[in-house]
C-alpha cells in the first residue's frame, strides 16, 4: 500500500501536525492506529508519568516503617519499600481481575493502578544506593536518578552510563572524577563541561574533543595548554591557570562570565551529531536513520520522535528512554526489551502492552508490578491460548472506544506535572499547569533550621572546615524559583572531600537548582528550519537553535572548516 503525507489536528493542543508516509508504515508494521496527539503533546503525556527527584517520607504500607518514596504520602496508593516490594511475601497476581467489556480499558487500568502496591522507588541490582531512583547497577551512590552503572557518585540526574567518582552530571557517559557536566563522554577530571568528548584535566569547556589541560575553551580539537582558546607552553599554562583556578567562588563567577562571552563568539554546528547517517535532531552519537530525536547514543537505528535512546537499540517511535538492546518500541517510557508498546518502566521482557513497572515479563497486557510472569491481563494469569483469544478481543474493544493506540491519559499519572520531568523539559507555572488540565501538587512546606546563609559561605574552598558537613546551607534561590528548590542543603563527607581535592568552591545552590542550571544550558527538544550564518553560504538545515538565539550557527561544512 502506498502512503501519502497527511496533515492532522492535534486533539490536545489543536495545532496541525504531519504524519509522513514512513510513519504510516511503522504504524502498519506494529498494527496500531495513527496518533491523535502531535509529537510534542505525546511526549509531554509520557513525561508526566516519570518522577525522578521529588521524593517524600512516608510509611511502607507493607511493613509500617518510614521509607523514602516518589509517591506523596497523601496519595490513594499502596506503596511498599523497594526491598519488601521485590520480595515473595506478597503476590501481584492476587490483585488481578477479569476484563470487563462494559467498561473502558483505562478505567479498569486505573482501578488496578490504585490497588496493586507500588515500589517506593524503582531500582535494580543496586548496592548501598538506597537514595536513588530509576537506577540500575549503582554502587555507593547517593541522591541519583536515571542511570545504568555508577559507583561512588552523588547528584547524577538524567540518563547516565558508566560513571564513577562524579558529582552533578546530566546525560553523560563513561566519565570519572568529573563535576558539573552536561552531554559529555569518555572524560576524566573534567569540570564544568558541555558537549565534550575525551577531555582530561580541564575546566570550563564547551564543544571540545580530545583536549587536556585546557581552561575556558570553546570548539577546540586535539589541544592542550590553552586558556580561553589561547595557546600556552606547559610552564606558561600552569602559571597562568593560578589566576583563574584558585578555589575562589567569586573568581569562578567572573571567569564563567568571560567563558560565556567566548561561547557566543565561536561558531557552533547546527547540531551535535557524530558518527551518524541520515539523522535529524541533536546530541546524536553513532546512529542511523533516526529522525527528530535527541540524546541518541551508541549504535541506534531506525528511531523517530525518540529521546534518550542508548546502547544498541532500534526500531522505535515516541519513546522516552530505551536502552540495552531495546527493539520495536512505541509510546513508552523507560524500557528495555522487545515489542513494548504503550508502557512505562518495563525492564526486560517482550510482547508487552499497556503495562507499568514490570520486570522480566513477556506476553502481558494492562499489568502492574509483575516480575517474571507470562500471559497475564490486568494482573490475572491465563493459559497461552486463553491469553491470545482475550487479547485480540480486548484490542478490538479498545479500538471501538478510541483507546487503543493512545498512551495512558495524564489523569492516571500518580504525579503532579511539577513533580514529573515534564517540568524539566517543558517548564510551566502553576497557573499554566492547571489551565492545561494537568495535575499540580503543592510542594511540601520546608522549615529548615538554616545554619549557614548563602552570603556566609566561605569564598574559597581552602577556608571550609571539615565540620561544614554538619551545617544546613541556604540555597541562593531560597525557594523563590520554579525549579523544585529544596531551599537548603547539606554536604556529604565525600562531596566535601571531592571539592577540597579538586580545588572547587562550594556551590551556592541546592542540588535541584544546580540540575536546572545544567538543563538551561541545553537546547530545547524542538527543531527549527534555519540557514547557515557563514557569509556567502546558503545551506539550510534543521536545528534546535531557535532563530532568535544569539549564537553563531553554521552548517556542518562551514563548521568543519572553522574548527579543523
Amino acid at each position: 500500500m502506498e502512503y501519502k503525507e497527511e496533515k492532522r489536528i492535534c486533539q490536545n493542543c489543536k495545532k496541525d501536525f504531519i504524519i509522513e508516509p514512513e510513519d504510516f508504515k511503522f504504524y502498519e508494521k506494529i498494527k496500531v492506529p495513527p496518533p491523535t496527539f502531535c509529537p510534542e503533546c505525546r511526549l509531554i503525556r509520557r513525561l508526566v508519568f516519570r518522577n525522578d527527584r521529588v521524593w517524600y517520607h512516608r510509611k511502607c504500607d507493607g511493613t509500617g516503617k518510614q521509607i523514602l518514596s516518589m509517591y506523596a504520602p497523601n496519595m490513594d496508593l499502596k506503596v511498599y519499600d523497594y526491598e519488601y516490594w521485590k520480595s515473595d511475601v506478597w503476590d501481584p497476581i492476587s490483585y488481578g481481575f477479569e476484563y470487563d467489556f462494559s467498561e473502558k480499558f483505562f478505567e479498569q487500568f486505573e482501578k488496578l493502578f490504585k490497588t496493586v502496591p507500588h515500589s517506593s522507588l524503582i531500582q535494580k541490582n543496586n548496592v548501598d544506593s538506597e537514595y536513588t531512583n530509576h537506577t540500575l547497577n549503582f554502587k555507593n551512590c547517593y541522591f541519583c536518578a536515571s542511570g545504568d552503572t555508577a559507583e561512588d557518585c552523588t547528584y547524577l540526574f538524567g540518563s547516565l552510563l558508566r560513571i564513577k567518582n562524579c558529582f552533578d552530571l546530566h546525560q553523560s557517559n563513561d566519565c570519572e572524577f568529573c563535576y558539573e557536566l552536561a552531554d559529555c563522554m569518555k572524560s576524566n577530571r573534567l569540570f564544568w563541561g558541555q558537549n565534550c568528548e575525551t577531555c582530561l584535566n580541564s575546566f570550563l569547556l564547551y564543544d571540545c574533543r580530545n583536549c587536556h589541560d585546557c581552561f575556558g575553551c570553546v570548539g577546540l580539537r586535539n589541544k592542550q595548554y590553552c586558556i580561553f582558546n589561547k595557546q600556552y607552553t606547559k610552564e606558561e599554562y600552569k602559571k597562568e591557570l593560578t589566576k583563574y583556578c584558585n578555589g575562589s567562588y567569586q573568581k569562578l563567577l567572573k571567569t564563567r562570565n568571560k567563558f560565556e562571552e567566548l561561547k557566543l563568539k565561536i561558531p557552533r554546528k547546527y547540531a551535535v551529531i557524530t558518527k551518524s547517517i541520515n539523522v535529524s535532531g541533536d546530541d546524536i552519537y553513532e546512529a542511523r536513520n533516526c529522525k527528530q530525536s535527541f540524546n541518541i547514543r551508541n549504535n541506534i537505528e531506525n528511531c523517530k520522535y525518540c529521546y534518550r535512546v542508548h546502547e544498541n537499540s532500534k526500531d522505535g517511535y515516541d519513546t522516552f528512554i530505551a536502552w540495552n538492546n531495546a527493539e520495536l518500541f512505541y509510546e513508552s517510557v523507560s524500557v528495555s526489551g522487545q515489542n513494548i508498546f504503550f508502557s512505562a518502566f518495563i525492564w526486560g521482557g517482550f510482547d508487552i502492552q499497556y503495562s507499568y513497572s514490570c520486570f522480566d515479563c513477556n506476553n502481558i497486557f494492562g499489568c502492574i508490578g509483575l516480575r517474571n510472569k507470562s500471559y497475564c491481563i490486568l494482573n490475572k494469569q491465563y493459559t497461552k491460548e486463553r491469553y491470545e483469544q482475550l487479547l485480540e478481543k480486548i484490542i478490538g474493544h479498545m479500538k471501538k472506544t478510541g483507546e487503543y493506540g493512545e498512551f495512558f491519559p495524564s489523569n492516571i499519572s500518580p504525579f503532579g506535572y511539577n513533580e514529573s520531568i515534564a517540568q524539566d523539559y517543558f517548564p510551566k507555572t502553576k497557573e499554566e499547569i492547571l489551565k492545561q488540565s494537568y495535575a499540580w501538587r503543592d510542594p511540601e512546606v520546608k522549615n529548615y533550621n538554616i545554619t549557614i546563609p548563602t552570603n556566609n559561605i566561605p569564598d574559597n574552598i581552602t577556608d571550609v572546615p571539615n565540620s561544614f558537613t554538619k551545617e544546613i546551607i541556604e540555597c541562593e534561590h531560597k525557594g523563590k524559583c520554579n525549579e523544585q528548590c529544596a531551599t537548603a542543603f547539606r554536604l556529604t563527607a565525600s562531596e566535601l572531600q571531592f571539592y577540597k581535592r579538586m580545588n572547587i568552591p562550594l556551590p551556592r545552590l541546592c542540588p535541584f537548582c544546580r540540575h536546572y542550571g545544567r538543563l538551561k544550558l541545553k537546547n530545547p527538544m524542538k527543531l527549527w528550519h534555519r540557514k547557515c550564518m557563514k557569509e556567502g553560504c546558503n545551506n539550510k538545515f534543521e536545528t534546535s537553535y531557535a532563530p532568535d538565539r544569539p549564537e553563531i550557527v553554521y552548517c556542518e561544512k562551514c563548521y568543519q572548516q572553522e574548527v579543523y
Side-chain angles (χ1 to χ4, degrees):
M1 179 178 178
E2 184 177 349
Y3 296 101
K4 295 182 179 179
E5 180 182 291
E6 289 187 19
K7 181 183 288 188
R8 302 275 178 105
I9 297 176
C10 175
Q11 297 306 297
N12 186 57
C13 69
K14 309 305 179 185
K15 296 179 182 178
D16 292 345
F17 70 101
I18 300 295
I19 301 179
E20 298 180 332
E22 63 186 30
D23 305 334
F24 283 114
K25 290 179 182 178
F26 180 82
Y27 305 140
E28 176 64 25
K29 178 180 178 180
I30 62 174
K31 296 180 173 57
V32 303
T36 62
F37 279 28
C38 68
E40 183 171 302
C41 288
R42 299 198 298 265
L43 173 59
I44 293 174
R45 182 171 59 180
R46 295 191 301 273
L47 294 182
V48 296
F49 278 82
R50 185 177 173 101
N51 171 7
D52 275 6
R53 303 175 311 281
V54 182
W55 304 341
Y56 302 89
H57 289 286
R58 61 172 294 163
K59 284 187 177 181
C60 170
D61 290 313
T63 65
K65 75 174 186 178
Q66 281 292 118
I67 59 173
L68 197 67
S69 169
M70 60 179 159
Y71 301 104
N74 60 350
M75 292 196 63
D76 185 21
L77 289 179
K78 286 184 180 179
V79 178
Y80 286 173
D81 172 69
Y82 171 69
E83 292 298 328
Y84 187 85
W85 181 85
K86 72 176 184 178
S87 70
D88 295 328
V89 297
W90 71 285
D91 185 5
I93 292 295
S94 67
Y95 294 85
F97 54 83
E98 289 275 355
Y99 191 91
D100 186 346
F101 287 92
S102 67
E103 292 185 8
K104 289 187 174 183
F105 166 75
F106 288 135
E107 293 172 355
Q108 298 177 68
F109 183 83
E110 186 174 14
K111 185 189 307 180
L112 182 67
F113 198 95
K114 291 182 177 180
T115 56
V116 177
H118 295 267
S119 175
S120 56
L121 300 167
I122 295 179
Q123 303 169 338
K124 189 176 181 181
N125 300 337
N126 288 353
V127 177
D128 294 329
S129 302
E130 293 82 3
Y131 282 71
T132 66
N133 194 21
H134 301 298
T135 52
L136 172 67
N137 303 319
F138 270 45
K139 183 179 179 181
N140 300 328
C141 292
Y142 175 77
F143 224 109
C144 299
S146 186
D148 183 349
T149 310
E151 184 174 352
D152 298 323
C153 295
T154 301
Y155 306 134
L156 310 183
F157 299 136
S159 193
L160 302 121
L161 293 167
R162 298 175 297 274
I163 306 295
K164 191 173 181 180
N165 297 112
C166 292
F167 293 77
D168 289 276
L169 267 61
H170 178 70
Q171 288 184 193
S172 297
N173 302 347
D174 302 291
C175 293
E176 188 170 359
F177 292 108
C178 293
Y179 176 68
E180 280 285 6
L181 303 187
D183 304 320
C184 293
M185 300 173 60
K186 302 175 183 177
S187 294
N188 192 306
R189 295 176 185 266
L190 174 61
F191 313 106
W192 295 285
Q194 184 183 2
N195 295 340
C196 294
E197 184 179 347
T198 58
C199 291
L200 173 68
N201 290 336
S202 297
F203 298 77
L204 287 170
L205 299 188
Y206 178 82
D207 185 29
C208 292
R209 304 285 183 271
N210 194 31
C211 294
H212 69 82
D213 295 286
C214 290
F215 184 95
C217 293
V218 178
L220 297 188
R221 300 293 184 268
N222 308 308
K223 296 291 186 179
Q224 57 183 318
Y225 308 128
C226 294
I227 297 178
F228 295 118
N229 284 30
K230 181 180 178 181
Q231 184 68 63
Y232 291 86
T233 65
K234 181 178 179 179
E235 292 72 22
E236 290 171 337
Y237 174 83
K238 289 183 175 181
K239 182 179 179 181
E240 191 73 12
L241 187 63
T242 60
K243 298 178 182 178
Y244 303 102
C245 190
N246 61 5
S248 165
Y249 181 76
Q250 291 301 320
K251 179 70 73 174
L252 172 66
L253 287 181
K254 294 179 182 179
T255 302
R256 291 196 71 168
N257 290 337
K258 186 174 180 179
F259 174 62
E260 293 299 323
E261 291 173 2
L262 179 63
K263 284 168 63 177
L264 294 179
K265 297 176 182 178
I266 304 296
R268 56 186 69 187
K269 192 166 77 168
Y270 70 97
V272 181
I273 297 175
T274 308
K275 297 181 181 179
S276 299
I277 300 172
N278 191 30
V279 301
S280 66
D282 203 1
D283 189 20
I284 299 176
Y285 180 84
E286 288 186 351
R288 291 170 293 283
N289 305 321
C290 293
K291 301 296 183 63
Q292 298 188 56
S293 295
F294 299 79
N295 191 233
I296 307 298
R297 302 276 177 85
N298 301 331
N299 194 29
I300 309 302
E301 297 182 53
N302 308 325
C303 291
K304 192 170 184 179
Y305 305 126
C306 285
Y307 311 84
R308 294 198 200 172
V309 178
H310 296 174
E311 304 296 306
N312 307 304
S313 299
K314 63 181 181 179
D315 299 326
Y317 265 55
D318 287 284
T319 291
F320 183 84
I321 303 182
W323 83 105
N324 195 22
N325 302 288
E327 183 174 351
L328 208 61
F329 43 90
Y330 176 57
E331 276 281 24
S332 293
V333 177
S334 188
V335 298
S336 64
Q338 291 76 44
N339 294 21
I340 301 173
F341 311 138
F342 319 110
S343 297
F345 316 118
I346 307 299
W347 292 13
F350 58 89
D351 291 339
I352 297 170
Q353 296 190 57
Y354 286 105
S355 295
Y356 181 95
S357 190
C358 294
F359 294 72
D360 303 309
C361 297
N362 60 275
N363 299 100
I364 61 173
F365 189 99
C367 292
I368 299 171
L370 298 189
R371 303 182 301 281
N372 301 298
K373 298 294 183 181
S374 302
Y375 305 114
C376 299
I377 298 174
L378 292 174
N379 280 36
K380 183 175 176 59
Q381 184 72 65
Y382 295 93
T383 65
K384 179 178 183 292
E385 293 73 18
R386 181 58 178 155
Y387 171 85
E388 291 174 347
Q389 292 170 358
L390 269 177
L391 181 61
E392 184 178 357
K393 189 176 178 182
I394 290 169
I395 290 176
H397 175 252
M398 290 179 66
K399 287 180 178 178
K400 290 180 181 178
T401 62
E403 296 172 292
Y404 192 71
E406 303 293 335
F407 191 70
F408 303 118
S410 59
N411 65 284
I412 293 179
S413 170
F415 309 117
Y417 187 102
N418 56 313
E419 293 176 295
S420 76
I421 58 172
Q423 185 71 348
D424 283 7
Y425 297 99
F426 300 93
K428 302 179 189 296
T429 64
K430 179 178 180 178
E431 292 71 24
E432 290 171 331
I433 289 169
L434 294 176
K435 184 178 180 180
Q436 296 176 30
S437 299
Y438 293 110
W440 166 272
R441 190 176 306 282
D442 287 323
E444 288 186 315
V445 177
K446 301 178 177 69
N447 294 309
Y448 296 118
N449 183 24
I450 293 171
T451 60
I452 300 292
T454 304
N455 55 10
N456 285 355
I457 299 174
D459 176 66
N460 201 296
I461 187 62
T462 58
D463 298 324
V464 178
N466 291 332
S467 60
F468 229 69
T469 54
K470 300 177 182 178
E471 307 290 354
I472 299 176
I473 305 170
E474 180 185 49
C475 176
E476 193 172 51
H477 287 175
K478 303 179 183 180
K480 298 178 181 179
C481 61
N482 195 32
E483 300 173 356
Q484 300 171 340
C485 181
T487 70
F489 61 101
R490 300 183 74 165
L491 300 173
T492 66
S494 60
E495 183 183 9
L496 180 56
Q497 182 183 24
F498 182 87
Y499 294 146
K500 285 177 169 289
R501 181 181 178 185
M502 303 301 173
N503 203 32
I504 294 171
L506 293 187
R508 268 55 178 174
L509 299 177
C510 72
F512 286 175
C513 293
R514 300 202 297 267
H515 169 68
Y516 273 89
R518 291 188 290 276
L519 287 176
K520 289 176 181 178
L521 295 173
K522 297 168 61 67
N523 290 359
M525 294 191 292
K526 298 180 181 181
L527 295 177
W528 288 266
H529 290 277
R530 288 187 61 177
K531 179 182 154 184
C532 180
M533 295 175 70
K534 175 76 171 180
E535 187 176 354
C537 181
N538 294 313
N539 286 339
K540 297 179 181 179
F541 43 72
E542 283 186 300
T543 178
S544 58
Y545 291 96
D548 59 352
R549 292 274 295 263
E551 296 89 351
I552 303 170
V553 183
Y554 280 5
C555 68
E556 181 163 10
K557 181 181 178 181
C558 293
Y559 171 82
Q560 296 288 359
Q561 292 173 347
E562 186 77 21
V563 301
Y564 289 102

